[in-house]
């Protein structure tokens, strides 16, 4: 059976529970498994005899079980298992006297104790790795790692005596040697099978093999309550063995070589097919060749040699079975550069393709609608707005499509810039479409734009098209669009439907680009009858560091709006510990005072109601994007695992945090955290407080119907319900000028950029404004450090850079905004700026010589996969 990166695990792994657990982590194919990178690698464990033990310092040794007993714990439920081990023969090899130690295990489960008892029978040879301690004057190892060693046939170097005779002196703990046990290799030939009738399955055939396994650096993976890091590692090593790997990568840069530590063949009860198992003569060298054939290199050979990088197959092997920590880091750097190179080739190809397309030219005319509009504004444009409007005007005059990203702080005036561009397209006799992510925002845009252009001559038709419109109104809007009459169309996702036709479409403006995928964007490109591609302006209030934007948006020209219009006052940000009842009370009293003064307040919660725990599986579920990161999450009272791939709509609606920052212990297991607050729960609690007696509350969530959302926002803006308890559905574009306070519950679980977005919902009318971030973070924890960043800064770019550094580019970029899986897993957009710049230069040189990548088939395939996996080049915060 030929195994490739696309082979599914279900066809290879016989343990269906493990297949399901891996799928919950987003691991479905061999490629998913090999690119599920460990988050750390352990340091090599030194060999020490028991007499050389130092309390609190990790060590490994070989020994024999002398006796074992199980003791019921009377004071507490459960059992204690104690085994005495003797390392006399192993100690002799290290020229120190032998000694004994106690191995101790505790468990409430009798089945576990029975299993350990069978493994630790008297006379069994074992290899022990653990942290020594002392109990009642005796050296003790509590829950150490144990590998049992199969008995050897008679005359083959009996037990540990054989190891003692063959082993050299010195600690052998990877002291610069590729094979620290080379001197002992001949001392332990492969053992015979267990005696007839024995039920015990041994972990290793030889002491040599067991010591190698426990002492080598080992990768640690993000795990879940369903599968441990060890089992993830075991599965990945099994897959590598099946693909041809027989030894780990060695420091001299070869995939295999004499003396390298071997990868153990997976058990047939775990792996269904074992590559080459019928060929007993398979050598390490032929296995290495097989692995490189199964995992072809993506980087061009010239680039790989110029950068002195590993072969891709070698890098995977060095990451998942590292001979040393230095080798592990070298492999990570290789695959990080590969990600940088593939991403830059993708972006440069996209940019080149766009410039080859035809578009409607929209030159600026005398006494244009655009100039009339600017002159009618009751305020002066900022210098930044004037510059961006000028740049867009020049782009629209070309006969190839504009592709521009407009990034601006909340309230920086992006809508005015977009409207000026749309009026230039209308003046040229064409249609312009503004696509908004929600019906509430689309209605606000339509109302605002209609009011701004009502004085212009000739009159500009403004058409609203949303999925929630009644059938008659929807048909009327579709007819207006299909007529081709010059005008402005404001739409939601309805603009991506097959029924929407705009034959004279010249400009598409997408507000909050991270809410839409490239497939939707391309569907608008096909709306013209004459084969032209519309000009594209994408806007975001999501702050992106300049280095990240220039790196990631390689296919777009970028404009920044950094100035805020006059009259906006800084928002005062206060972090409140939820357990501080006195401060919470003063905060609620302050909000009541602002409401009594005619202002409004938002209360934001991440969940809709308290019964939504089953829908919280997606770590990184965004209410808009509806995606799951595919890693274990623990955002409720007990650990839960994330659903891989695309989340359900129910899950997307149930939780509005863009990244709950799941936390992991040192073994990669997810740590359970308190349940998230819900809209229904908080609304009920607040209405019972004395501070809010006589005040009407309203609630708003993603599950509400569109007409309900519209009415709720109208009542909130009008003051009938001055306090709105909602999910993050209000995050983007909602503009209520009387809103002066926002309270965000579970703030320690949000991304910083999302908090910055939410904070921008207040203070839009020039009044004093406050943002209260309610936190349950532990003092000194990373969560508390994150909140300190947003507490002290109103600079979106600074906040975004901190967010990238806290979370890593693999978390922030790619997957959450596209609804799919990200191809970026190792690249750090801020920290790796120099690497990305180098990759961009080399990618440009390659494309200049071979624009279609005809000579780089593997790279072309990787570019295609990358484009599909990263449907928009925008952060999702």
């Amino acid at each position: 059976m030929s195994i490739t990166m696309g082979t599914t695990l279900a066809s290879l792994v016989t343990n269906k529970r493990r297949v399901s657990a891996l799928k919950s982590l987003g691991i479905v194919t061999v490629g998913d498994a090999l690119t599920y990178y460990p988050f750390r690698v352990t340091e090599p464990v030194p060999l020490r005899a028991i007499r050389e033990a130092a309390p609190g310092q990790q060590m490994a040794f070989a020994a024999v079980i002398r006796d074992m007993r199980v003791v019921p714990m009377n004071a507490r439920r459960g059992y204690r298992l104690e085994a005495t081990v003797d390392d006399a023969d192993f100690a002799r090899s290290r020229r120190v006297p032998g000694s004994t130690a106690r191995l101790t295990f505790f468990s409430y489960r009798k089945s576990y104790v029975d299993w350990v008892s069978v493994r630790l029978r008297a006379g069994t040879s074992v290899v022990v790795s653990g942290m020594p301690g002392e109990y009642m004057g005796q050296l003790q190892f509590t829950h150490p790692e144990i590998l049992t060693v199969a008995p050897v046939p008679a005359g083959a170097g009996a037990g540990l005596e054989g190891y003692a005779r063959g082993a050299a002196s010195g600690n052998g703990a990877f002291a610069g040697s590729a094979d620290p046990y080379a001197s002992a290799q001949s001392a332990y030939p492969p053992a015979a099978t267990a005696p007839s009738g024995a039920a015990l399955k041994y972990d290793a055939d030889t002491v040599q093999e067991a010591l190698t396994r426990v002492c080598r650096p080992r990768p640690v993976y993000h795990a879940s309550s369903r599968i441990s890091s060890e089992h993830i590692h075991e599965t990945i090593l099994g897959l590598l063995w099946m693909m041809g790997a027989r030894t780990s990568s060695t420091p001299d840069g070869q995939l295999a070589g004499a003396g390298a530590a071997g990868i153990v063949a997976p058990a047939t009860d775990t792996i269904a097919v074992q590559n080459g198992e019928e060929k007993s003569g398979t050598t390490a060298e032929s296995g290495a060749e097989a692995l490189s054939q199964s995992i072809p290199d993506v980087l061009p050979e010239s680039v790989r040699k110029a950068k002195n990088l590993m072969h891709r197959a070698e890098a995977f092997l060095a990451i998942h079975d590292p001979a040393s920590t230095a080798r592990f880091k070298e492999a990570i750097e290789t695959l990080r550069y590969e990600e940088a190179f593939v991403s830059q080739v993708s972006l440069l190809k996209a940019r080149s393709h766009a410039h080859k397309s035809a578009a409607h030219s929209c030159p600026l005319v005398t006494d244009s609608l655009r100039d009339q509009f600017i002159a009618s504004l009751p305020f002066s444009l900022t210098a930044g707005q004037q510059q961006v409007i000028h740049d867009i005007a020049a782009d629209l005059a070309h006969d190839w499509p504009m592709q521009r990203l407009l990034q601006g702080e909340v309230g920086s005036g992006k809508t005015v810039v977009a409207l000026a561009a749309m009026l230039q397209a209308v003046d040229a006799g064409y249609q312009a479409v503004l696509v908004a992510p929600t019906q509430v925002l689309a209605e606000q845009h339509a109302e605002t734009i209609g009011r701004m252009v009502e004085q212009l001559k000739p009159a500009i038709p403004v058409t609203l098209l949303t999925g929630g419109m009644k059938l008659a109104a929807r048909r009327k809007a579709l007819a207006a669009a299909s007529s081709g009459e010059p005008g402005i169309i404001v739409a939601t996702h309805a603009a991506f439907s097959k029924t929407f036709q705009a034959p004279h479409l010249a400009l598409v403006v997408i507000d909050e680009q991270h809410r839409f995928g490239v497939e939707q964007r391309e569907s608008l490109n096909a709306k013209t009858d004459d084969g032209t591609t519309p000009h594209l302006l994408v806007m975001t209030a999501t702050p992106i560091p300049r280095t990240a934007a220039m790196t990631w948006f390689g296919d777009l020209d970028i404009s920044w709006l950094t100035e805020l219009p006059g009259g906006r006052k800084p928002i005062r940000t206060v972090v409140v510990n939820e357990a501080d009842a006195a401060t919470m009370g003063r905060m609620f009293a302050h909000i009541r005072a602002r409401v009594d003064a005619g202002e409004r307040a938002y209360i934001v919660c991440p969940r809709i109601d308290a019964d939504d725990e089953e829908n919280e599986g997606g770590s990184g579920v965004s209410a808009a994007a509806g995606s799951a990161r595919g890693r274990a999450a623990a955002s409720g009272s007990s650990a839960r695992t994330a659903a891989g791939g695309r989340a359900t709509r129910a899950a997307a609606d149930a939780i509005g945090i863009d990244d709950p920052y799941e936390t992991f212990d040192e073994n990669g297991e997810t740590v359970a955290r308190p349940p998230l607050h819900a809209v229904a729960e908080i609304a009920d609690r607040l209405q019972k407080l004395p501070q809010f007696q006589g005040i009407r509350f309203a609630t708003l969530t993603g599950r509400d119907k569109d007409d309900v959302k519209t009415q709720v926002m109208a009542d909130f803006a009008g003051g009938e319900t001055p306090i709105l308890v909602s999910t993050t559905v209000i995050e983007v574009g909602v503009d209520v000028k009387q809103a002066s306070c926002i309270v965000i519950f579970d703030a320690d679980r949000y991304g910083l950029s999302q908090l910055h977005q939410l904070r921008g919902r207040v203070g839009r009318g020039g009044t004093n404004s406050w943002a209260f971030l309610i936190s349950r973070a532990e003092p000194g924890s990373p969560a508390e450090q994150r909140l300190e960043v947003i507490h002290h800064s109103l600079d979106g770019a600074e906040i975004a850079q901190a967010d990238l550094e806290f979370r890593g580019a693999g978390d922030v970029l790619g997957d959450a905004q596209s609804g799919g899986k990200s191809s970026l897993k190792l690249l750090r957009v801020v920290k790796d700026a120099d690497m990305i710049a180098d990759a961009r230069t080399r990618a440009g040189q390659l494309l200049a010589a071979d624009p279609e990548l005809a000579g780089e088939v593997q790279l072309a395939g990787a570019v295609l996969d990358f484009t599909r996996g990263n449907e928009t080049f925008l952060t999702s915060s």
Side-chain angles (χ1 to χ4, degrees), residues 162-284:
Y163 178 87
R165 286 194 297 271
S169 61
N171 69 10
F174 295 90
S177 170
D179 181 19
Y181 310 105
S183 58
Q185 283 196 347
S186 61
Y188 259 79
T193 57
S196 176
L200 184 62
K201 176 183 173 183
Y202 294 98
D203 299 313
D205 289 334
T206 66
V207 171
Q208 167 62 40
E209 176 192 317
L211 284 170
T212 300
R213 283 168 58 185
V214 301
C215 290
R216 288 169 59 80
R218 279 182 297 174
V220 183
Y221 302 82
H222 285 310
S224 74
S225 58
R226 297 179 61 188
I227 186 168
S228 67
S229 174
E230 278 295 324
H231 283 154
I232 294 171
H233 188 213
E234 175 187 284
T235 302
I236 294 174
L237 288 185
L239 295 173
L240 286 168
W241 194 93
M242 293 166 66
M243 297 176 84
R246 294 298 181 269
T247 64
S248 62
S249 88
T250 55
D252 61 3
Q254 301 300 313
L255 275 172
I263 294 180
V264 180
T268 54
D269 59 351
T270 300
I271 298 292
V273 180
Q274 295 185 5
N275 182 32
E277 61 188 353
E278 73 287 350
K279 301 176 182 177
S280 57
T282 299
T283 65

Side-chain angles (χ1 to χ4, degrees), residues 43 58 67 92 164 211 264-265 291 311 462 464 482 503 580 588-589 607 613 623 667 670 698 749 861:
E43 291 295 327
Q58 193 84 7
D67 60 67
R92 191 177 307 127
L211 284 170
V264 180
L291 184 63
H311 187 282
V462 178
L464 174 66
S482 62
D580 186 349
F588 291 134
R607 284 198 296 158
E613 288 199 19
N667 294 318
T670 50
R749 308 275 282 275

Side-chain angles (χ1 to χ4, degrees), residues 240-536:
L240 286 168
W241 194 93
M242 293 166 66
M243 297 176 84
R246 294 298 181 269
T247 64
S248 62
S249 88
T250 55
D252 61 3
Q254 301 300 313
L255 275 172
I263 294 180
V264 180
T268 54
D269 59 351
T270 300
I271 298 292
V273 180
Q274 295 185 5
N275 182 32
E277 61 188 353
E278 73 287 350
K279 301 176 182 177
S280 57
T282 299
T283 65
E285 286 74 14
S286 64
E289 183 180 344
L291 184 63
S292 60
Q293 290 174 353
S294 300
I295 309 175
D297 216 344
V298 168
L299 289 174
E301 185 72 9
S302 58
V303 173
R304 187 168 71 82
K305 288 184 175 179
K307 297 294 293 181
N308 193 27
L309 302 172
M310 296 180 179
H311 187 282
R312 191 175 201 228
E314 181 186 2
F316 280 135
L317 200 50
I319 285 173
H320 296 297
D321 190 37
S324 66
T325 52
R327 194 74 177 147
F328 174 85
K329 292 174 182 176
E330 186 181 345
I332 289 289
E333 285 303 295
T334 291
L335 293 180
R336 182 172 284 144
Y337 190 89
E338 178 189 288
E339 286 187 357
F341 193 82
V342 170
S343 70
Q344 294 313 302
V345 171
S346 302
L347 295 171
L348 289 175
K349 277 181 66 67
R351 191 183 189 95
S352 173
H353 176 75
H355 284 185
K356 293 176 183 177
S357 303
H360 291 299
S361 175
C362 303
L364 201 59
V365 298
T366 306
D367 192 29
S368 64
L369 288 170
R370 190 202 75 169
D371 292 342
Q372 288 183 50
F373 162 65
I374 293 173
S376 70
L377 291 173
F379 52 82
S380 298
L381 297 178
T382 65
Q385 286 174 310
Q386 294 176 31
Q387 182 61 50
V388 174
I389 288 173
H390 174 77
D391 292 342
I392 291 174
D395 289 345
L396 291 176
H398 295 145
D399 58 1
W400 66 81
M402 169 181 74
Q403 288 195 292
R404 184 171 290 276
L405 168 71
L406 175 57
Q407 176 184 326
E409 282 282 3
V410 174
S412 59
K414 297 184 296 297
T415 304
V416 169
V417 172
L419 182 51
M422 289 189 286
L423 289 173
Q424 184 171 337
V426 172
D427 227 358
Y430 300 109
Q431 295 168 292
V433 173
L434 170 62
V435 185
T438 67
Q439 173 158 330
V440 169
L441 186 52
E443 290 172 345
Q444 285 191 1
H445 275 317
E447 181 183 348
T448 302
I449 291 172
R451 193 168 56 245
M452 286 180 162
V453 303
E454 62 185 357
Q455 304 300 325
L456 302 184
K457 302 296 180 185
I460 309 298
V462 178
T463 304
L464 174 66
L465 175 63
T466 71
M469 297 174 72
K470 293 188 176 175
L471 185 58
R474 181 180 172 85
R475 284 178 174 170
K476 183 177 179 181
L478 288 171
S482 62
S483 71
E485 179 187 1
I488 294 172
I489 303 162
V490 181
T492 57
H493 290 72
F496 304 122
S497 70
K498 293 179 180 178
T499 57
F500 176 75
Q501 297 296 326
H504 295 156
L505 183 60
L507 173 64
V508 175
V509 180
I510 295 183
D511 193 13
E512 293 306 325
Q513 155 82 341
H514 64 286
R515 304 302 177 108
F516 305 104
V518 76
E519 293 171 1
Q520 294 173 317
R521 194 172 86 185
E522 291 300 319
S523 73
L524 282 175
N525 286 347
K527 297 300 182 184
T528 54
D529 293 338
D530 51 14
T532 59
T533 299
H535 298 282
L536 177 68

Side-chain angles (χ1 to χ4, degrees), residues 48-55 59 61 87-88 90-91 94-101 139 141:
R48 290 179 184 153
I50 292 175
R51 283 191 180 273
E52 297 173 304
M59 61 176 282
F61 62 95
D87 76 337
F90 175 77
R94 298 184 57 78
R95 299 199 173 110
V96 297
S99 186
T100 61
L139 196 70
F141 293 81

